Structure formats: structure tokens, C-alpha cells
Amino acid sequence: MLSLWKNFRRAFSAFARARKGNVAITFALATLPVVGAVGFAVDYSHANSVKTALQAAIDSTALMISKEAATDTNSQLQANALKYFLALFTRPEAKDVTVTASYNAGSGSQVVITASAQVPTSFLGVIGYDSIAISSSSTAKWGTARLRVALVLDNTGSMADDGKMPALISATKSLLSQLQSAATTDGDVYVSIVPFVKDVNLGAANWNSNYIYWGTAGTQDAASPNETDNTSWDANNGTCQDQGGTILGTSSSYKTRSSCRTKSSCSISGYTSQSSCTSAGSCSVAGYTSQSACTGAGTCSLSGYTSQSACTGAGTCSLSGYSTQSSCTSAGTCSISGHNSQSSCTSAGVCSKSQYTSSWSCGNNGGTWTTGHWTAATWTAATWTATPGTWTAGVWSTATTKWVPDDHSTWNGCVMDRGYPQSPSKLGGNSGPDTVNNYDTNAGSPSVAINSSLYPAEQYSSCPQAAILGLNYDWSGMTSLVNSMSPNGNTNQAIGLQLGWMSLVGGGPFTVPAMDPNYQYQQVIILLTDGLNTQDRWYSSQSSIDGRQQLTCNNINAAGITLYTIQVNTGGDPTSTLLQNCAGSPGKYPDSSKFYLLTQANQITATFNSIGTNLTKLRVAK
């Protein structure tokens, strides 16, 4: 335009100096400035309109190209940029359109699109300008900010209700797709996943790692070397054996180290306490269960009598039916039937001629009279033969046993909250190397010299099926992990949140990629849960668990990490004050815009989509 104006001024100056011609020529020449001025305004406005359309087209082209620029060859980049631009630039009057694209990954990824064209003029042709050149450029920057996201996901038993687990799985995969699409190059977006219940699964294959506490030494911590930890994995997973290595039993009585080491027994089976054992005994003669009966034992000539007094009072009668000596000796039999006493028998008789019943009548009629004969019964007394038994009293003894922990390779991968067996923080005034408290609420790295900083192994029967996954961009691997999630166990949001935080900063089970100083990094935790806290390593009180988690939330905010909290409340639970107070972003804590209360499972997808959109926005920088 500056060149056009200079030419116009030269022409006008020449016209002013001219002295030849007539009025018609003068008038014709006088119209040139007028026509030029009008033509300039019309053609310039038209060119500006075309340039505005060109700018809009290259802005959109830059955004579209940015999603593929890192993987395109230079020729592909040029061809695709031209294709996208021509689809968007709908001004056919523009001629000689050219589009160039460049991609630069240094110090932040960016795409620069430059376009130019010639716009034919309608009036300026009279002064020698048939077209006006237009050009513009657009830059899309996205690589100066990189994203690291930790997904802390509830896998507890209540997630089986109301379709929540299928909805969570679907929504998480959709979010992963969003995050993947926002990454132009590997490392632009990293994601970690921490499924949690009461415990978290660190992966059974990591059993030999130095961040796991087994309790092998049997001490609570270095400051209390004499305090045995009977809550440890080694104390609760093993076998009770005698000194020869024989397993003493598989019953619940011997399934822990403490029960094994207190194992005792009685020399007589059936007695399980020391008092009952020592008051019991055994007799060398069968059938005697007390010491007095045993030492007075013997045998009776008559069966059925087990004591001397009973035996000597017993006997047998020659006549059946008599069980005492007095009744036996007063009994007998008469030679004449029908007489049951000696007096009636001896006064009775019988005639050889049966028709005569008296001695006189029998003899006067030539018969023979026979007087009755009484035979007395005889009593044979039982005899007692003394055979005293030997009484052996019961002996109570404590067995010499040893506890052999199971091989650590049999561990299922679950760990509890970091801290001390009795409490999250140190009890009393102990001193020593183990002086840092509250490892359950911070992201300090585990140290083999500090037991409370390690993750205590537990053979939890409801261990999450899906193990943790540190920061990565293996999108198919993350999808497979999400598909394996299954609901089971109680709720402990705090341990999931602590490990989610550690997955961003590194330490213990997590190796975190170094941050490139040429980039800015946004660190984000998304915590989703459907319930209130019910159990952790120490407590079954919600308020106690919530108190520990609030400390973790405060520390996360102080570290400058954005924390989204989502409560999926399909069961009519109270709205979680804890989750509301935990949601935050740098410079604003709590941040109500980072807390979501859902009442239906199908809202999870929309919520994740909204969060994902906020995290992955690209912007046109120039």
C-alpha cells in the first residue's frame, strides 16, 4: 500500500507541473486522483476481508496440524496443511495461494502456518496495480506445558452397586483417550493409576523390593528394638514347627507367631488347661478315673463289683431269686410240694394210698405215711482279690517351638498404610533414627533404616485385582489395567491418595521421569470414590481415618498439585465434607470447582470428560 501511494503522489505531482493540453484533457486528468482514491478504498477493503478469512483458515489449520505434526514427515506436513487450509478458505477470488508449515519441538512444541495470496483489484488497475498481495501466519503452541495425571480410583465392594464399576471403567478409558489425543510427542502427557480398597496392590512380583516392610527382625522400629511386632506379615504368615522341623498343626491355634510361641500341651489327651491337666491322671488298671479308686483297685469273684466293700457284701444263693445272705439262708425246698417253710414242710406228710390224708387213716388202711423233708438253701459269699493300680498324674508342659515365616514370594502384593503398628505416628518419647512421623500423610521416600517409612505387607484377602501403575504413556497397557478392575474390600481413600501423590514425585515403587527445564508441568490428582472411609491399618472409625487423610490433602496442596475429588453418591450417604475440603488448585484451597458430587453412575463419564477437556485444551499463541 505504501508503494501504491508513492506512485500516486508522483503521478499527481507530474500533473500539477504540466502546462499543455486543453480543458477536456485537463478534466480527464483531474478525474484520475478521484478514481484512484475511490479504487484504493474499495480494493483495500476487499483485500482486508480476504485476509481476515485467510487468518481464520490458518488459525484452524494450525490447531488441526498440531495433533499430528510430531509424527508427520516434512512433505506430509506441507501436504496436510494445504489440504486443511483449502477446505477452510472459501474465497475463490484469491489467486496464487501458497501455504507453508513448519514444526519445531525445541523448548516447547509449536506449529507455524504461513499463507499468502493475490487479490485482484477492480479500480487500481488504472494506475498499474492489477492485484494486492496478502499474507499472514499462525502459531499453535502446546509443548511449553506438559501434563502429569494420577488417577486414584475406588475399587471397594460398594462399587459393585448401581452399575458404578462398569461406569468407572468406561469413563476412565474415555479419559485416557482424551489425554492420549492431547499428546503430540511421547512425554507430553504421563498418567499413573492407583486402584485402592483398604489396601493397595503394589504388585506381587515386587516382593524382593526394599520398600516393603515384612517385620523379619521382629522389632517395631530402630528406636524400640525389643518391641516385637506381632502385626507384621512375617508374624502372621508361616508355620509352627518343633525344633526338628515337624509342623505342629494347621489349626488356627498355631497360625500366628504369637500363638506358636505360647503352644503348651498335657501328657493326657483331652485336657487344654494347666489346672485341668494337673488334676487329671491315668490308672494302670482300666476303668478307674480317680487316684483313690485306682490305688484301691482289685477284682471280685463275682462280676460287676468294682470295690472291695461292694464285693464282700455280695454272694450267690443255691436257690435262684435270692440276692442277700439272710434271704437265702431262710429259704429252702420241701420234698412235698406246696410247702415253702421248714415248719410247714416237716409237719406235713403223704400216704402211699393217696385217698388217705392223715397218718392215722393211712396206717389203719394198710398204707405207708411219709413225713415231709426240708432242704435249706446255701449262701456262697463273694471273695475280693486286691490288685492296687498305679496312678500317673497329668503333666503340663510348654513345647519348644519355632515359627517359620512363609517365603515372601507367596505374598499377594497388598500393603497397608505406612507408620507404626500401634499408631500412624510415633508413641512416647523414643529417640533414634526413626524420628520422622506421619509417613501415611506425606510422599517422603521409603528408607530401609526407617521401618515406619516402608510399606507394610499384608496378605489381605480383598486385595485389589488391579495393581498400581506408575507414570507412563503405554495407553494400551493402561486400558488393560482398567479393564481388570473389580470391586471388593473396605474403603481407605487415604492410602490411595498418598500413593497417587508419590506416583507423581517418585520414590518407593515409583520411578518418575525427570522434568525438562524447557517445559512447564501441570501435576494433577483425580480421586474418585463412592463411599465414606471405613477401615485403614489402625482404625475403623470414619472420623479417625478422615483426620489422617485431611493431613495428606493439606500437604498435597502445599506441594502445588491440583486435586480433583469426585464423590459418586448413589446410596444417599452424606455429602463428604472431607472431599470438599480436599479439592484444590494452586493458589486456591479448598477449591469448590474441583469437587464433584454425582448421584448416578452414568454421570462419571461426563465428569471425566469435563475434567479431561480442561486439562487438554490447546491454545493459539500467535
Side-chain angles (χ1 to χ4, degrees):
M1 291 301 147
L2 181 60
S3 176
L4 178 66
W5 176 247
K6 289 180 178 179
N7 288 337
F8 177 77
R9 289 183 61 186
R10 284 195 296 269
F12 186 78
S13 297
F15 173 75
R17 292 191 299 269
R19 295 290 184 268
K20 300 177 180 180
N22 52 33
V23 174
I25 295 174
T26 301
F27 180 79
L29 293 174
T31 62
L32 289 176
V34 177
V35 172
V38 172
F40 178 84
V42 171
D43 288 339
Y44 183 75
S45 295
H46 180 226
N48 266 340
S49 173
V50 176
K51 184 176 181 179
T52 299
L54 180 140
Q55 183 69 57
I58 61 173
D59 284 347
S60 297
T61 300
L63 286 175
M64 297 171 72
I65 283 293
S66 66
K67 297 182 179 182
E68 61 183 72
T71 58
D72 280 352
T73 64
N74 184 63
S75 59
Q76 289 173 328
L77 187 69
Q78 303 304 323
N80 290 337
L82 181 61
K83 177 180 67 175
Y84 295 145
F85 176 82
L86 293 178
L88 296 166
F89 186 57
T90 57
R91 299 300 292 265
E93 66 270 32
K95 307 299 182 182
D96 301 328
V97 176
T98 61
V99 177
T100 59
S102 65
Y103 168 69
N104 182 5
S107 300
S109 300
Q110 69 176 23
V111 166
V112 178
I113 306 294
T114 301
S116 63
Q118 296 290 331
V119 181
T121 60
S122 298
F123 296 97
L124 292 181
V126 298
I127 57 174
Y129 289 90
D130 296 327
S131 63
I132 299 176
I134 59 172
S135 64
S136 190
S137 67
S138 179
T139 301
K141 289 187 176 181
W142 67 97
T144 54
R146 286 182 164 179
L147 185 61
R148 295 187 173 185
V149 181
L151 303 180
V152 181
L153 306 177
D154 191 335
N155 276 211
T156 58
S158 57
M159 287 294 291
D161 302 332
D162 304 320
K164 286 177 286 190
M165 182 55 72
L168 174 60
I169 291 173
S170 176
T172 304
K173 291 191 293 185
S174 176
L175 176 60
L176 292 175
S177 296
Q178 275 187 285
L179 296 175
Q180 180 182 9
S181 66
T184 303
T185 60
D186 291 342
D188 283 350
V189 179
Y190 277 97
V191 178
S192 62
I193 303 177
V194 180
F196 71 88
V197 293
K198 181 187 83 70
D199 289 3
V200 168
N201 186 347
L202 298 190
N206 296 315
W207 62 270
N208 203 30
S209 300
N210 60 6
Y211 50 78
I212 305 296
Y213 170 66
W214 301 99
T216 306
T219 59
Q220 174 179 331
D221 57 72
S224 307
N226 297 320
E227 187 169 353
T228 300
D229 177 10
N230 285 323
T231 68
S232 68
W233 192 92
D234 278 349
N236 289 278
N237 298 275
T239 56
C240 187
Q241 303 177 6
D242 64 19
Q243 292 304 310
T246 302
I247 297 176
L248 298 178
T250 57
S251 68
S252 58
S253 301
Y254 312 129
K255 291 302 289 181
T256 65
R257 183 173 65 195
S258 59
S259 64
C260 174
R261 290 179 176 175
T262 59
K263 179 185 178 297
S264 300
S265 62
C266 184
S267 58
I268 304 172
S269 63
Y271 297 92
T272 58
S273 69
Q274 184 172 359
S275 59
S276 64
C277 176
T278 54
S279 63
S282 60
C283 187
S284 58
V285 181
Y288 297 92
T289 58
S290 68
Q291 184 173 2
S292 59
C294 178
T295 55
T299 56
C300 185
S301 59
L302 292 177
S303 62
Y305 297 93
T306 58
S307 68
Q308 184 174 0
S309 59
C311 178
T312 55
T316 57
C317 185
S318 59
L319 293 177
S320 63
Y322 299 94
S323 58
T324 65
Q325 185 174 1
S326 59
S327 64
C328 177
T329 54
S330 63
T333 58
C334 184
S335 58
I336 300 173
S337 62
H339 299 278
N340 296 322
S341 66
Q342 184 175 1
S343 59
S344 67
C345 178
T346 55
S347 64
V350 62
C351 185
S352 59
K353 295 181 177 181
S354 59
Q355 65 269 34
Y356 302 104
T357 58
S358 66
S359 174
W360 179 83
S361 62
C362 179
N364 288 337
N365 291 290
T368 302
W369 183 260
T370 302
T371 304
H373 176 72
W374 177 259
T375 302
T378 59
W379 176 261
T380 302
T383 57
W384 176 260
T385 303
T387 54
T390 301
W391 181 258
T392 303
V395 177
W396 183 260
S397 62
T398 300
T400 303
T401 61
K402 61 180 179 179
W403 176 255
V404 180
D406 290 339
D407 193 285
H408 293 166
S409 63
T410 63
W411 172 55
N412 64 3
C414 253
V415 296
M416 301 181 286
D417 307 84
R418 298 196 294 177
Y420 301 91
Q422 294 82 6
S423 172
S425 56
K426 186 183 293 292
L427 301 176
N430 296 333
S431 61
D434 202 358
T435 57
V436 179
N437 300 329
N438 302 320
Y439 277 103
D440 61 316
T441 67
N442 64 54
S445 294
S447 168
V448 293
I450 305 175
N451 285 342
S452 62
S453 72
L454 305 177
Y455 288 96
E458 184 184 30
Q459 203 74 0
Y460 185 43
S461 60
S462 298
C463 191
Q465 184 171 330
I468 61 168
L469 187 63
L471 288 176
N472 73 105
Y473 45 80
D474 178 5
W475 305 103
S476 61
M478 285 187 277
T479 298
S480 296
L481 183 146
V482 171
N483 282 332
S484 71
M485 294 193 307
S486 178
N488 201 6
N490 292 332
T491 303
N492 180 16
Q493 303 164 19
I495 190 172
L497 189 59
Q498 189 276 324
L499 278 160
W501 179 14
M502 183 172 279
S503 74
L504 296 178
V505 300
F510 302 106
T511 300
V512 173
M515 292 186 178
D516 188 330
N518 293 315
Y519 293 84
Q520 296 176 343
Y521 288 82
Q522 184 179 10
Q523 294 180 299
V524 177
I525 299 174
I526 302 175
L527 168 63
L528 179 141
T529 181
D530 77 325
L532 309 178
N533 283 316
T534 58
Q535 184 184 11
D536 66 6
R537 182 183 181 186
W538 310 279
Y539 309 119
S540 57
S541 162
Q542 180 194 333
S543 60
S544 297
I545 305 170
D546 286 359
R548 303 304 302 177
Q549 183 174 331
Q550 186 64 63
L551 295 176
T552 307
C553 294
N554 296 344
N555 293 336
I556 289 173
N557 176 259
I561 297 173
T562 299
L563 175 56
Y564 289 88
T565 60
I566 305 168
Q567 181 184 6
V568 187
N569 188 3
T570 61
D573 291 330
T575 300
S576 173
T577 301
L578 171 67
L579 294 177
Q580 290 176 302
N581 291 337
C582 279
S585 55
K588 186 174 184 181
Y589 181 68
D591 183 352
S592 60
S593 69
K594 300 298 186 290
F595 169 71
Y596 294 83
L597 177 63
L598 314 183
T599 57
Q600 295 178 354
N602 58 16
Q603 295 173 322
I604 299 176
T605 297
T607 301
F608 272 17
N609 182 67
S610 174
I611 294 174
T613 300
N614 290 333
L615 296 178
T616 60
K617 282 181 178 177
L618 290 174
R619 66 184 180 88
V620 176
K622 295 180 180 178

